[in-house]
Amino acid sequence: AQTVTQSQPEMSVQEAETVTLSCTYDTSESDYYLFWYKQPPSRQMILVIRQEAYKQQNATENRFSVNFQKAAKSFSLKISDSQLGDAAMYFCAYRSSGWGQGAQKLVFGQGTRLTINP
Amino acid sequence: DAGVIQSPRHEVTEMGQEVTLRCKPISGHNSLFWYRQTMMRGLELLIYFNNNVPIDDSGMPEDRFSAKMPNASFSTLKIQPSEPRDSAVYFCASSWASLADTQYFGPGTRLTVL
């Protein structure tokens, strides 16, 4: 079974600075998808960014980018120019490729709580 | 477009009572997922449906939990009888089933069982 590990329970950063959240995963599959979701205090789960394992290019969405290292099974999230609205829990998630039973489910890490200091 | 809709947003009930959580997926999506979030176990999948058919219910904790999807626009998660350890936030998510689908989450239902 796949597992996702986020080793940083909490992180903090000064407003306008850059912060990187870490995520590692364990899988024997060669094709899969990785996601970062944000959960603000409203508890709504919001998709931040996604990465297809077959793509070598790292995904980017505005101030958010990932560093995907397939061989190391690492998938970190970089937030540039941090804003107060970025304060939230961030979850890394894994999804298998394919259609077998359970393939579509998301496997989540334990989350990292990000605080933005003004 | 409206996102995934869940009701109620908050539910407080007493142990032994029946609880029904409801979900309306995004129109056009054909996959629906129920997740549970607790401090101890984090986010975990309970069950998911493709085209209204349950595909994987291996995450359903026990027989007290049941889920149905009678049509493409509605699903329920029922707990009977409820226990204090069922207290959690329950999320519904939907997607267009494909190899590249992204799941979109509802706002969640916070359930408290006294």
Side-chain angles (χ1 to χ4, degrees), chain A residues 37-88:
Chain A
Y37 280 87
K38 167 186 176 181
Q39 187 177 39
S42 66
R43 77 168 179 257
Q44 175 82 47
M45 294 289 288
I46 302 166
L47 178 69
V48 175
I49 200 166
R50 60 175 282 154
Q51 175 79 43
E52 289 83 358
Y54 63 85
K55 291 185 177 179
Q56 292 186 335
Q57 187 173 6
N58 289 326
T60 300
E61 288 288 344
N62 300 315
R63 299 182 295 107
F64 298 85
S65 61
V66 298
N67 183 7
F68 173 49
Q69 301 290 328
K70 191 172 183 179
K73 296 180 183 175
S74 170
F75 183 60
S76 61
L77 175 69
K78 186 173 81 171
I79 307 174
S80 303
D81 185 25
S82 298
Q83 300 175 0
L84 294 178
D86 295 333

Side-chain angles (χ1 to χ4, degrees), chain A residues 33 35 37 39 42-45 47 50 52 91 95-106 108-110, chain B residues 9-10 31 33 35 37 42-43 45 48 50 55-56 89 91 97-103 105-108 110:
Chain A
Y33 303 91
F35 304 83
Y37 280 87
Q39 187 177 39
S42 66
R43 77 168 179 257
Q44 175 82 47
M45 294 289 288
L47 178 69
R50 60 175 282 154
E52 289 83 358
F91 292 94
R95 178 196 178 277
S96 297
S97 178
W99 297 100
Q101 184 178 15
Q104 286 181 265
K105 75 177 183 182
L106 290 172
F108 286 92
Q110 288 298 92
Chain B
R9 294 293 308 276
H10 303 272
S31 290
F33 306 79
Y35 291 89
Q37 184 177 33
L43 277 154
L45 178 77
Y48 76 89
N50 279 348
I55 301 301
D56 184 355
V89 179
F91 287 100
S98 70
L99 290 178
D101 67 303
T102 292
Q103 295 176 27
F105 283 73
R110 179 177 292 279

Side-chain angles (χ1 to χ4, degrees), chain B:
Chain B
D1 284 339
V4 176
I5 298 173
Q6 290 187 247
S7 64
R9 294 293 308 276
H10 303 272
E11 177 79 27
V12 180
T13 191
E14 293 189 348
M15 182 174 62
Q17 296 297 306
E18 177 180 294
V19 175
T20 299
L21 310 182
R22 297 172 176 80
C23 175
K24 177 179 171 56
I26 293 172
S27 178
H29 282 185
N30 62 348
S31 290
L32 184 138
F33 306 79
W34 284 100
Y35 291 89
R36 180 171 66 175
Q37 184 177 33
T38 62
M39 288 294 294
M40 291 299 295
R41 299 176 65 89
L43 277 154
E44 54 184 349
L45 178 77
L46 298 178
I47 185 171
Y48 76 89
F49 297 83
N50 279 348
N51 297 314
N52 312 336
V53 177
I55 301 301
D56 184 355
D57 65 354
S58 60
M60 296 286 263
E62 48 199 271
D63 292 345
R64 298 184 297 106
F65 286 70
S66 62
K68 294 182 180 180
M69 191 164 186
N71 57 62
S73 59
F74 183 67
S75 177
T76 59
L77 178 67
K78 185 176 294 186
I79 309 172
Q80 167 63 20
S82 59
E83 297 183 1
R85 59 191 167 124
D86 301 330
S87 298
V89 179
Y90 291 81
F91 287 100
C92 176
S94 72
S95 71
W96 171 248
S98 70
L99 290 178
D101 67 303
T102 292
Q103 295 176 27
Y104 296 91
F105 283 73
T109 295
R110 179 177 292 279
L111 172 65
T112 302
V113 183
L114 303 175

